[in-house]
Amino acid sequence: MSAIATYIVGFLAQGFFSARILIQWILSERSKRLESPTAYWVCSIIGSWLLFVYGYLRDDFSIILGQFISYYIYLWNLDRKIEKIFRLEELYRSV
């Protein structure tokens, strides 16, 4: 893969990581409390996957390992968030 394509993957990954912080910051400011929106975790997963690819393209094991670990943490957090949403829906239905 060309160097330009590798940089594009790296910049896209950084864009997703920047977007997730902006999303969380804006929503937290609006609600006046710390928010953890689903979009934050989705951007985290996409950014982590892209950084993993970027590390692979650069043959950089430290990036690959770091993003491999982060990717599963983000998936775990998103899964917990989805479980919480379904539990709340069940609670509302039972009332």
Side-chain angles (χ1 to χ4, degrees), residues 73-95:
I73 292 170
Y74 299 146
L75 283 176
W76 183 84
N77 282 315
L78 184 59
D79 184 56
R80 293 299 162 279
K81 184 165 187 61
I82 290 169
E83 281 180 9
K84 181 179 177 185
I85 290 169
F86 283 123
R87 277 183 292 180
L88 288 174
E89 287 178 358
E90 289 174 7
L91 177 68
Y92 289 132
R93 287 184 193 146
S94 67
V95 173

Side-chain angles (χ1 to χ4, degrees), residues 12-68:
L12 280 173
Q14 290 301 328
F16 275 102
F17 276 109
S18 297
R20 75 186 187 133
I21 298 299
L22 289 173
I23 289 167
Q24 185 179 35
W25 176 47
I26 290 167
L27 293 177
S28 294
E29 286 294 321
R30 284 183 185 167
S31 69
K32 303 293 184 208
R33 65 187 185 97
L34 181 61
E35 294 288 339
S36 175
T38 303
Y40 174 87
W41 297 110
V42 171
C43 285
S44 297
I45 290 168
I46 294 170
S48 180
W49 183 79
L50 286 170
L51 277 177
F52 177 88
V53 170
Y54 177 72
Y56 175 79
L57 294 173
R58 292 183 46 103
D59 196 29
D60 189 330
F61 183 70
S62 63
I63 293 174
I64 293 170
L65 181 62
Q67 293 311 310
F68 182 77

